[in-house]
């Protein structure tokens, strides 16, 4: 069932990208980005909780198996345990050097 929902969301996003009127397209993209930004925090929290459950304090799956099972990069799984969040929320190299 999950794959079907993902397919429909991707099709809807592609439909937004096909809006001919530039202003209307940008307005629609902005609305989609704003709606998703609100979800990102809770979606990331749920993902991180599941990663920790699957790892089970080192008694469960390896980082690589978790990544494969959830369709993630191993570095995303690793960063959950480093407390940095995913690669998209980690400070950029230049910012990290300033700290």
């Amino acid at each position: 069932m999950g794959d079907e929902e993902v397919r429909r969301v991707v099709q809807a996003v592609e439909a937004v990208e096909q809006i001919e009127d530039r202003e209307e397209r940008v307005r629609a993209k902005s609305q989609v980005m704003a709606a998703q930004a609100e979800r990102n925090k809770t979606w990331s929290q749920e993902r991180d909780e599941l990663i920790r459950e699957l790892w089970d304090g080192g008694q469960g799956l390896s980082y690589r198996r978790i990544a494969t099972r959830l369709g993630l990069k191993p570095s995303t799984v690793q960063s959950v345990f480093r407390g940095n969040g995913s690669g998209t929320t980690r400070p950029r190299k230049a910012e990290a050097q300033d700290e």
Side-chain angles (χ1 to χ4, degrees):
M1 182 158 106
D3 290 341
E4 175 62 20
E5 282 80 7
V6 171
R7 186 188 63 74
R8 289 190 348 237
V9 169
V10 169
Q11 285 180 331
V13 169
E14 289 171 349
V16 168
E17 292 174 335
Q18 299 304 313
I19 296 172
E20 288 195 31
D21 181 85
R22 187 176 184 202
E23 284 187 37
E24 185 179 344
R25 184 176 60 248
V26 169
R27 190 171 29 258
K29 286 179 176 181
S30 295
Q31 291 172 347
V32 170
M33 289 187 298
Q36 188 55 43
E38 294 175 17
R39 290 180 178 88
N40 285 344
K41 184 176 180 179
T42 57
W43 285 19
S44 293
Q45 287 174 342
E46 182 179 20
R47 179 201 59 206
D48 295 356
E49 288 170 7
L50 181 56
I51 287 170
R52 286 188 172 89
E53 288 173 24
L54 292 172
W55 189 65
D56 191 23
Q59 301 301 306
L61 300 177
S62 69
Y63 287 7
R64 287 199 180 279
R65 286 191 184 228
I66 293 169
T68 299
R69 185 165 164 170
L70 299 181
L72 304 170
K73 294 179 182 178
S75 60
T76 300
V77 175
Q78 288 175 334
S79 61
V80 168
F81 297 100
R82 290 184 184 139
N84 296 332
S86 71
T88 58
T89 59
R90 193 173 352 180
R92 295 187 187 276
K93 188 174 182 178
E95 293 171 0
Q97 290 174 350
D98 292 341
E99 295 177 350

